[in-house]
Amino acid sequence: MEEIFTNIFIDGNKLYTKNLIRGEKVYGEKLVDFKGMELREWNPRRSKLAAVIMKGYKDLPLKKDSKILYLGAATGTTVSHISDIVENGKIFSVESSERSMRQFLNISEMRDNVYPILEDASNPHLYSGLLEAVDLIYQDVAQKHQYKILMKNTTYLKKGGTVIYCVKAKSIDSSKSSEEVFKKEIKQMEKDFNIVETINLSPYEKDHIVIIAKLR
Ligand SMILES: C[S@@+](CC[C@H](N)C(=O)[O-])C[C@H]1O[C@@H](n2cnc3c(N)ncnc32)[C@H](O)[C@@H]1O
């Protein structure tokens, strides 16, 4: 077992985060003891950020005190691992589905660094009073007009801040090939961002890329 980033560990092909809430599982994952810590297995088939790390991404912009705006929290699988990593930070987590939010609330109640926000991320002004300027925006909403959603939310991103932008080709345009969709997304991003890396999530997710970029 080796710590590869802050609070992130790897053992062979298994990835873990240091559990912030000892004894608590979030989605049925395995808990493992290691040197007095409890680690939670992080499944790259359930979390695109885990897949990004398993694909060898080396420059993860997450520190113990990072502030993050997370768009598309769903039931909190990935948020919970980010919460393990940024133990003294804040994760402002936006989700528009009431059903997912209900389940997500159980997780966020236990984790002091998670701030759940039930809103449509297309209307970021609706949550302006609920958050602070952030170091990172993580977006995983799987929507046709998701780039517009991202751009609207950059108003909360600190200068030089990073975005991790998940692209599911079929959600953006199912009539085009994945490669065409990826090319278009990258091209439009290049207008506003310096792209740091583009990672194809295969074999963990089919027809998905994640773009890591810095706001210009
Ligand atoms: C692919 S799932 C996210 C999975 C999650 N990021 C994870 O790794 O655990 C996409 C989520 O985005 C949410 N979503 C879609 N459009 C949204 C919007 N405009 N505002 C907020 N959430 C949205 C959906 O309800 C869904 O829960």
Side-chain angles (χ1 to χ4, degrees), residues 95-126:
E95 172 53 53
S96 57
S97 151
E98 283 189 29
R99 192 154 174 247
S100 298
M101 181 54 80
R102 239 173 274 133
Q103 206 176 325
F104 180 47
L105 284 178
N106 296 329
I107 295 157
S108 48
E109 266 166 18
M110 269 187 265
R111 293 175 172 265
D112 290 345
N113 58 6
V114 176
Y115 297 73
I117 300 170
L118 176 62
E119 281 297 353
D120 181 342
S122 317
N123 302 313
H125 62 281
L126 294 178

Short mmCIF file of all heavy atoms in Angstrom, two decimals, residues 95-126:
data_model
loop_
_atom_site.label_atom_id
_atom_site.label_comp_id
_atom_site.label_asym_id
_atom_site.label_seq_id
_atom_site.Cartn_x
_atom_site.Cartn_y
_atom_site.Cartn_z
N GLU A 95 -27.00 19.59 -6.72
CA GLU A 95 -27.71 18.47 -7.35
C GLU A 95 -29.16 18.91 -7.55
O GLU A 95 -29.76 19.49 -6.65
CB GLU A 95 -27.63 17.22 -6.45
CG GLU A 95 -28.47 16.04 -6.88
CD GLU A 95 -28.27 15.60 -8.33
OE1 GLU A 95 -27.13 15.35 -8.74
OE2 GLU A 95 -29.28 15.53 -9.08
N SER A 96 -29.70 18.65 -8.76
CA SER A 96 -31.05 19.14 -9.05
C SER A 96 -32.14 18.10 -8.77
O SER A 96 -33.32 18.44 -8.70
CB SER A 96 -31.14 19.59 -10.51
OG SER A 96 -30.78 18.51 -11.36
N SER A 97 -31.76 16.83 -8.62
CA SER A 97 -32.78 15.81 -8.40
C SER A 97 -33.09 15.66 -6.91
O SER A 97 -32.19 15.36 -6.10
CB SER A 97 -32.30 14.47 -8.98
OG SER A 97 -32.86 13.39 -8.28
N GLU A 98 -34.36 15.85 -6.57
CA GLU A 98 -34.76 15.75 -5.15
C GLU A 98 -34.51 14.35 -4.62
O GLU A 98 -34.11 14.16 -3.48
CB GLU A 98 -36.24 16.10 -5.00
CG GLU A 98 -36.47 17.59 -5.08
CD GLU A 98 -37.90 17.97 -4.72
OE1 GLU A 98 -38.53 17.25 -3.93
OE2 GLU A 98 -38.36 18.99 -5.28
N ARG A 99 -34.75 13.36 -5.49
CA ARG A 99 -34.61 11.97 -5.07
C ARG A 99 -33.15 11.66 -4.69
O ARG A 99 -32.87 11.11 -3.63
CB ARG A 99 -35.07 11.08 -6.23
CG ARG A 99 -35.24 9.68 -5.88
CD ARG A 99 -36.26 9.02 -6.79
NE ARG A 99 -36.29 7.61 -6.50
CZ ARG A 99 -35.88 6.68 -7.33
NH1 ARG A 99 -35.43 7.00 -8.52
NH2 ARG A 99 -35.93 5.42 -6.99
N SER A 100 -32.22 12.06 -5.59
CA SER A 100 -30.80 11.83 -5.28
C SER A 100 -30.40 12.62 -4.05
O SER A 100 -29.65 12.13 -3.20
CB SER A 100 -29.92 12.28 -6.45
OG SER A 100 -30.22 11.53 -7.58
N MET A 101 -30.90 13.84 -3.97
CA MET A 101 -30.53 14.71 -2.84
C MET A 101 -30.94 14.09 -1.51
O MET A 101 -30.21 14.18 -0.52
CB MET A 101 -31.17 16.09 -3.04
CG MET A 101 -30.87 17.10 -1.98
SD MET A 101 -29.10 17.37 -1.64
CE MET A 101 -28.60 18.45 -2.95
N ARG A 102 -32.10 13.43 -1.49
CA ARG A 102 -32.56 12.83 -0.23
C ARG A 102 -31.52 11.83 0.29
O ARG A 102 -31.17 11.83 1.46
CB ARG A 102 -33.91 12.12 -0.46
CG ARG A 102 -34.99 12.70 0.45
CD ARG A 102 -36.35 12.16 0.13
NE ARG A 102 -36.98 12.93 -0.93
CZ ARG A 102 -37.60 12.42 -2.00
NH1 ARG A 102 -37.68 11.12 -2.17
NH2 ARG A 102 -38.14 13.20 -2.90
N GLN A 103 -31.01 11.01 -0.61
CA GLN A 103 -29.98 10.02 -0.23
C GLN A 103 -28.66 10.71 0.12
O GLN A 103 -27.98 10.33 1.06
CB GLN A 103 -29.78 9.05 -1.39
CG GLN A 103 -29.27 7.70 -0.94
CD GLN A 103 -29.19 6.75 -2.13
OE1 GLN A 103 -30.01 6.80 -3.06
NE2 GLN A 103 -28.20 5.89 -2.13
N PHE A 104 -28.35 11.75 -0.66
CA PHE A 104 -27.10 12.49 -0.47
C PHE A 104 -27.07 13.18 0.90
O PHE A 104 -26.02 13.28 1.53
CB PHE A 104 -26.96 13.50 -1.61
CG PHE A 104 -25.73 14.35 -1.55
CD1 PHE A 104 -24.48 13.78 -1.32
CD2 PHE A 104 -25.80 15.71 -1.75
CE1 PHE A 104 -23.34 14.56 -1.29
CE2 PHE A 104 -24.67 16.51 -1.71
CZ PHE A 104 -23.43 15.92 -1.48
N LEU A 105 -28.23 13.59 1.37
CA LEU A 105 -28.30 14.29 2.66
C LEU A 105 -27.81 13.39 3.80
O LEU A 105 -27.19 13.86 4.75
CB LEU A 105 -29.71 14.78 2.95
CG LEU A 105 -30.13 16.03 2.16
CD1 LEU A 105 -31.57 16.41 2.50
CD2 LEU A 105 -29.21 17.21 2.42
N ASN A 106 -28.08 12.08 3.70
CA ASN A 106 -27.61 11.16 4.75
C ASN A 106 -26.09 11.19 4.85
O ASN A 106 -25.53 11.10 5.95
CB ASN A 106 -28.03 9.71 4.44
CG ASN A 106 -29.53 9.57 4.45
OD1 ASN A 106 -30.23 10.26 5.18
ND2 ASN A 106 -30.04 8.68 3.62
N ILE A 107 -25.44 11.33 3.68
CA ILE A 107 -23.97 11.36 3.68
C ILE A 107 -23.47 12.71 4.18
O ILE A 107 -22.58 12.80 5.02
CB ILE A 107 -23.45 11.12 2.24
CG1 ILE A 107 -23.82 9.72 1.78
CG2 ILE A 107 -21.96 11.35 2.12
CD1 ILE A 107 -23.86 9.58 0.29
N SER A 108 -24.10 13.77 3.67
CA SER A 108 -23.57 15.11 3.99
C SER A 108 -23.81 15.47 5.46
O SER A 108 -23.03 16.22 6.04
CB SER A 108 -24.15 16.16 3.06
OG SER A 108 -25.51 16.04 2.95
N GLU A 109 -24.84 14.90 6.06
CA GLU A 109 -25.08 15.19 7.48
C GLU A 109 -23.91 14.73 8.35
O GLU A 109 -23.60 15.33 9.37
CB GLU A 109 -26.35 14.46 7.96
CG GLU A 109 -27.58 15.34 7.86
CD GLU A 109 -28.86 14.55 8.00
OE1 GLU A 109 -28.82 13.41 8.51
OE2 GLU A 109 -29.91 15.09 7.59
N MET A 110 -23.25 13.64 7.93
CA MET A 110 -22.14 13.08 8.72
C MET A 110 -20.82 13.78 8.43
O MET A 110 -19.87 13.63 9.18
CB MET A 110 -21.99 11.60 8.37
CG MET A 110 -22.80 10.72 9.26
SD MET A 110 -22.37 9.04 8.89
CE MET A 110 -23.63 8.65 7.74
N ARG A 111 -20.75 14.49 7.30
CA ARG A 111 -19.47 15.05 6.85
C ARG A 111 -19.52 16.57 6.89
O ARG A 111 -20.20 17.19 6.06
CB ARG A 111 -19.18 14.54 5.43
CG ARG A 111 -18.93 13.05 5.39
CD ARG A 111 -18.77 12.51 3.99
NE ARG A 111 -18.35 11.11 4.04
CZ ARG A 111 -17.10 10.70 3.97
NH1 ARG A 111 -16.13 11.57 3.78
NH2 ARG A 111 -16.81 9.42 4.07
N ASP A 112 -18.77 17.15 7.83
CA ASP A 112 -18.85 18.60 8.04
C ASP A 112 -18.33 19.42 6.86
O ASP A 112 -18.64 20.60 6.75
CB ASP A 112 -18.02 18.98 9.28
CG ASP A 112 -18.67 18.48 10.55
OD1 ASP A 112 -19.86 18.10 10.50
OD2 ASP A 112 -17.98 18.43 11.60
N ASN A 113 -17.51 18.81 5.99
CA ASN A 113 -16.97 19.59 4.87
C ASN A 113 -17.84 19.52 3.61
O ASN A 113 -17.48 20.07 2.57
CB ASN A 113 -15.52 19.15 4.56
CG ASN A 113 -15.41 17.66 4.23
OD1 ASN A 113 -16.42 16.97 4.11
ND2 ASN A 113 -14.18 17.18 4.08
N VAL A 114 -19.00 18.88 3.70
CA VAL A 114 -19.91 18.79 2.54
C VAL A 114 -21.11 19.71 2.74
O VAL A 114 -21.78 19.64 3.77
CB VAL A 114 -20.38 17.33 2.32
CG1 VAL A 114 -21.39 17.25 1.19
CG2 VAL A 114 -19.20 16.42 2.02
N TYR A 115 -21.37 20.57 1.75
CA TYR A 115 -22.47 21.54 1.82
C TYR A 115 -23.44 21.24 0.68
O TYR A 115 -23.18 21.63 -0.46
CB TYR A 115 -21.92 22.98 1.69
CG TYR A 115 -21.00 23.37 2.82
CD1 TYR A 115 -19.71 22.85 2.91
CD2 TYR A 115 -21.42 24.25 3.81
CE1 TYR A 115 -18.87 23.18 3.95
CE2 TYR A 115 -20.58 24.59 4.86
CZ TYR A 115 -19.31 24.05 4.92
OH TYR A 115 -18.47 24.38 5.96
N PRO A 116 -24.53 20.52 0.93
CA PRO A 116 -25.45 20.15 -0.14
C PRO A 116 -26.31 21.33 -0.59
O PRO A 116 -26.77 22.12 0.25
CB PRO A 116 -26.33 19.07 0.51
CG PRO A 116 -26.23 19.33 1.97
CD PRO A 116 -24.95 20.01 2.25
N ILE A 117 -26.51 21.44 -1.90
CA ILE A 117 -27.34 22.52 -2.45
C ILE A 117 -28.31 21.91 -3.47
O ILE A 117 -27.87 21.37 -4.49
CB ILE A 117 -26.44 23.59 -3.14
CG1 ILE A 117 -25.46 24.21 -2.14
CG2 ILE A 117 -27.29 24.67 -3.80
CD1 ILE A 117 -24.39 25.10 -2.77
N LEU A 118 -29.59 21.95 -3.17
CA LEU A 118 -30.60 21.42 -4.09
C LEU A 118 -31.00 22.53 -5.06
O LEU A 118 -31.84 23.39 -4.72
CB LEU A 118 -31.81 20.92 -3.30
CG LEU A 118 -33.00 20.40 -4.12
CD1 LEU A 118 -32.62 19.19 -4.97
CD2 LEU A 118 -34.19 20.06 -3.22
N GLU A 119 -30.37 22.58 -6.22
CA GLU A 119 -30.66 23.61 -7.23
C GLU A 119 -30.27 23.09 -8.60
O GLU A 119 -29.52 22.12 -8.71
CB GLU A 119 -29.86 24.91 -6.97
CG GLU A 119 -30.37 25.82 -5.89
CD GLU A 119 -31.76 26.41 -6.13
OE1 GLU A 119 -32.31 26.21 -7.24
OE2 GLU A 119 -32.30 27.04 -5.21
N ASP A 120 -30.74 23.80 -9.62
CA ASP A 120 -30.32 23.56 -10.99
C ASP A 120 -29.04 24.37 -11.23
O ASP A 120 -29.07 25.61 -11.08
CB ASP A 120 -31.46 24.02 -11.92
CG ASP A 120 -31.14 23.79 -13.38
OD1 ASP A 120 -29.96 23.61 -13.72
OD2 ASP A 120 -32.09 23.81 -14.18
N ALA A 121 -27.98 23.70 -11.58
CA ALA A 121 -26.68 24.39 -11.77
C ALA A 121 -26.71 25.36 -12.96
O ALA A 121 -25.77 26.13 -13.14
CB ALA A 121 -25.58 23.36 -11.95
N SER A 122 -27.79 25.34 -13.76
CA SER A 122 -27.92 26.33 -14.85
C SER A 122 -28.25 27.70 -14.29
O SER A 122 -28.24 28.69 -15.03
CB SER A 122 -29.07 25.97 -15.80
OG SER A 122 -29.07 24.64 -16.10
N ASN A 123 -28.65 27.76 -13.04
CA ASN A 123 -29.00 29.04 -12.41
C ASN A 123 -28.13 29.31 -11.19
O ASN A 123 -28.62 29.36 -10.07
CB ASN A 123 -30.48 29.01 -11.95
CG ASN A 123 -31.41 28.75 -13.10
OD1 ASN A 123 -31.29 29.35 -14.16
ND2 ASN A 123 -32.34 27.83 -12.91
N PRO A 124 -26.84 29.52 -11.43
CA PRO A 124 -25.92 29.62 -10.29
C PRO A 124 -26.21 30.81 -9.37
O PRO A 124 -25.81 30.77 -8.20
CB PRO A 124 -24.54 29.74 -10.93
CG PRO A 124 -24.75 29.98 -12.36
CD PRO A 124 -26.12 29.53 -12.72
N HIS A 125 -26.90 31.84 -9.90
CA HIS A 125 -27.21 32.99 -9.03
C HIS A 125 -28.11 32.55 -7.87
O HIS A 125 -28.10 33.19 -6.81
CB HIS A 125 -27.86 34.12 -9.83
CG HIS A 125 -29.18 33.73 -10.44
ND1 HIS A 125 -29.27 32.99 -11.61
CD2 HIS A 125 -30.44 33.94 -10.02
CE1 HIS A 125 -30.54 32.78 -11.88
NE2 HIS A 125 -31.28 33.35 -10.94
N LEU A 126 -28.84 31.44 -8.04
CA LEU A 126 -29.76 31.00 -6.98
C LEU A 126 -29.01 30.50 -5.74
O LEU A 126 -29.58 30.39 -4.67
CB LEU A 126 -30.69 29.88 -7.49
CG LEU A 126 -31.66 30.29 -8.58
CD1 LEU A 126 -32.49 29.09 -9.03
CD2 LEU A 126 -32.59 31.40 -8.09
#
